[in-house]
Amino acid sequence: MNPQILQEMAVRYFLEVARCGSVSVAAERLDVAPSAVSRQIARLERELGTLLFERRARGMALNAAGELLAAHAKRAQQDVDRVAGEIMGLRGLRQGLVRVVCTEGFAHDFVPSAIAAFRKQYAGIRFTLDICSQRDAPLRVRDGAADIGITLSLTSHRDVRVELRMPSPVRAVVAVDHPLAGHAELSLSQLTAYPLALPDPDSTLRQLIDISCSRQQLQIEPVFSSRSVDALVAFAGAGGGVTFCGELAIRNRLRWGQVVAVPLRDREMNERHFEVQTLAGRVLPEAAKAFIASLRDSLQRSGASWDSGA
């Protein structure tokens, strides 16, 4: 075996196929032809003398040898990132890249605002932001596809370190002139008389709402459904009805007086937590550590009750 094969483009292509489970999807993300990806995978398997994937009708899955190579390649990339981060730390954090993944609700306001505020102090730091589901965020962190995950969580995750954690109860979001806007607290039973805008049934927030309604034997039928939290909040702000969201995801809208968020007394609506996640045991690049520290300071200034290193 040629040891250099483990440091070449073939490994990068291999990791992308491992993440996507598909040569064609990996090729699209890498912006190359599928045949180029296939050739690199075949070359890697030829040099190593073993197959790395199980070829299936609907894609490719790592076999035992592929799992070993993937673990090695991820560790190697993390070591490179760590050393690069340490070097940049010696240079005064003038350069660097932070890869962030977050749920859709945080992508329209909270995370872009946090990045913009951070770059006012560290203009040389670059960011990428990817959006995924709540359940996929910790997986992306564990796979090394992101340095930092910003998400909502109900449970702990293996191999994931929680850098910051704070309660993120669900609020009823309405227009400022809505009849419910002046209430100090509401219950789901009170909201069933009003038009409801709800996320799609496969979202974690919708599942929490459905569980709570089922427990209380409440019947709900949304007049508007969307995968987009931004669309739901905009609908409510325009006077279309009531929707549900955490305050952190819409804090600028609340500050600007565009909508009102009313606490809910229902048990299930108060069990979520906002989390900033990283890979357990990994030494983060200096730029990523500095961004987490900036998030911590911002939350602390806002009066949030948070836990560090939970």
Side-chain angles (χ1 to χ4, degrees):
M1 181 188 77
N2 177 8
Q4 287 186 330
I5 190 69
L6 297 180
Q7 303 173 12
E8 295 179 356
M9 183 184 299
V11 174
R12 184 162 66 93
Y13 286 16
F14 159 78
L15 282 175
E16 198 60 49
V17 174
R19 292 189 188 104
C20 302
S22 163
V23 167
S24 58
V25 175
E28 184 177 348
R29 292 189 178 183
L30 292 164
D31 197 24
V32 298
S35 59
V37 176
S38 296
R39 283 197 302 272
Q40 292 293 341
I41 298 298
R43 176 175 175 239
L44 193 56
E45 291 179 327
R46 186 170 60 253
E47 289 284 349
L48 294 173
T50 184
L51 294 177
L52 299 170
F53 291 94
E54 294 178 9
R55 271 72 173 179
R56 299 174 178 174
R58 294 189 176 182
M60 300 169 68
L62 293 172
N63 59 20
E67 293 282 2
L68 285 174
L69 178 57
H72 161 81
K74 290 171 186 175
R75 285 195 303 269
Q77 184 58 56
Q78 288 162 8
D79 286 342
V80 170
D81 292 342
R82 176 181 57 80
V83 172
E86 290 174 355
I87 292 172
M88 282 183 284
L90 295 174
R91 298 171 58 185
L93 207 65
R94 291 196 297 269
Q95 295 181 2
L97 172 66
V98 180
R99 300 168 302 156
V100 181
V101 63
C102 74
T103 49
E104 192 263 347
F106 294 123
H108 293 281
D109 186 339
F110 176 73
V111 174
S113 296
I115 291 173
F118 180 81
R119 292 195 71 259
K120 289 179 181 178
Q121 184 175 0
Y122 302 109
I125 305 301
R126 296 174 294 117
F127 285 81
T128 63
L129 176 61
D130 202 1
I131 303 170
C132 69
S133 68
Q134 181 177 324
R135 67 175 62 90
D136 284 344
L139 301 179
R140 302 285 283 275
V141 170
R142 276 170 41 189
D143 287 346
D147 302 307
I148 298 170
I150 299 175
T151 185
L152 295 163
S153 182
L154 298 170
T155 60
S156 59
H157 301 277
R158 182 174 58 86
D159 297 329
V160 171
R161 172 179 168 80
V162 179
E163 301 283 351
L164 301 174
R165 188 172 192 261
M166 57 178 278
S168 182
V170 179
R171 304 302 197 203
V173 179
V174 295
V176 293
D177 57 353
H178 192 278
L180 299 177
H183 285 62
E185 191 178 53
L186 292 167
S187 66
L188 287 174
S189 60
Q190 291 174 274
L191 302 179
T192 57
Y194 297 88
L196 298 178
L198 301 179
D200 285 353
D202 61 350
S203 75
T204 306
L205 174 55
R206 178 64 178 274
Q207 291 165 12
L208 281 177
I209 295 169
D210 289 344
I211 289 170
S212 190
C213 288
S214 176
R215 179 177 61 82
Q216 301 177 65
Q217 297 183 327
L218 299 174
Q219 298 295 322
I220 59 170
E221 186 65 39
V223 301
F224 177 50
S225 297
S226 176
R227 290 182 179 273
S228 169
V229 174
D230 201 48
L232 295 171
V233 174
F235 177 82
V242 182
T243 194
F244 301 88
C245 190
E247 289 187 4
L248 195 57
I250 56 170
R251 63 179 184 175
N252 279 338
R253 277 194 170 104
L254 294 172
R255 186 182 301 133
W256 299 331
Q258 296 177 348
V259 292
V260 174
V262 183
L264 293 166
R265 65 174 65 98
D266 306 85
R267 183 180 69 230
E268 291 84 359
M269 300 297 98
N270 292 278
E271 295 179 347
R272 301 189 314 172
H273 283 80
F274 164 84
E275 290 187 353
V276 176
Q277 302 173 344
T278 62
L279 179 62
R282 180 188 177 192
V283 178
L284 287 174
E286 291 300 319
K289 289 195 288 188
F291 182 59
I292 291 172
S294 177
L295 288 174
R296 181 186 297 111
D297 291 344
S298 174
L299 293 173
Q300 192 171 29
R301 287 195 301 271
S302 69
S305 175
W306 52 269
D307 301 318
S308 178

